[in-house]
Amino acid sequence: MSDIRSLFVDGTRVGEVRLATSYLSRLRGLLGTRRSSGVPLLLSPANSVHGVGMTYTLDVASVDHAGRVLHTSRLHPFGLTRPRRGVTSVLEVASGAFSTLGIAPGVILTWSDGTSC
C-alpha cells in the first residue's frame, strides 16, 4: 500500500516517511491511523487533502515538484485544504510534528533514494 523511506529536510535525516502513490493509498491517507504513529505520509501526486473521518488534527505541507515546501497549514477533522498552484505532493502528519521535524515553507524535502517530492 505504501512504501517507507528515510525523510530528509534540507539534506538532514529527520525520520521516516510513508509514500502513498496509488489512488487508494492517497484516498485513505491517514484515516484509521493513531495519532501516536508519528510517521508522516506523502501523497503524490496530490495538490490538496481532506480530513473526512479523521479523529485528530494534522500538519499539512504543500510541496512542489522540486521538493520545496510552498505552504504549511493545520487541518482539523473534516476540514480540507485548497488546491495551490505548483503543488504536486502533500505531506501530512499529526499536528505538532512539523516543529519537531523542521518542516516549514522554503525547506526542501527528499527521501532515502535522493528523490524529491
Side-chain angles (χ1 to χ4, degrees):
M1 181 168 99
S2 59
D3 191 11
I4 297 180
R5 306 279 179 93
S6 292
L7 175 64
F8 297 84
V9 175
D10 286 339
T12 302
R13 187 182 187 284
V14 296
E16 294 181 328
V17 63
R18 286 189 308 132
L19 306 180
T21 56
S22 72
Y23 173 77
L24 289 177
S25 65
R26 291 190 316 267
L27 182 65
R28 181 172 185 258
L30 291 176
L31 185 63
T33 63
R34 297 172 63 165
R35 177 179 166 75
S36 61
S37 72
V39 176
L41 180 67
L42 180 76
L43 296 96
S44 182
N47 65 4
S48 66
V49 292
H50 65 82
V52 175
M54 291 301 297
T55 59
Y56 58 92
T57 303
L58 301 173
D59 283 346
V60 175
S62 301
V63 183
D64 71 9
H65 71 284
R68 183 172 306 279
V69 174
L70 301 177
H71 183 265
T72 60
S73 61
R74 185 137 304 159
L75 179 65
H76 297 281
F78 291 92
L80 59 108
T81 62
R82 69 177 181 87
R84 292 180 178 274
R85 183 178 305 240
V87 172
T88 58
S89 302
V90 177
L91 184 76
E92 58 183 29
V93 68
S95 66
F98 278 4
S99 61
T100 302
L101 297 171
I103 296 174
V107 302
I108 301 290
L109 303 179
T110 54
W111 55 76
S112 59
D113 63 2
T115 306
S116 62
C117 304

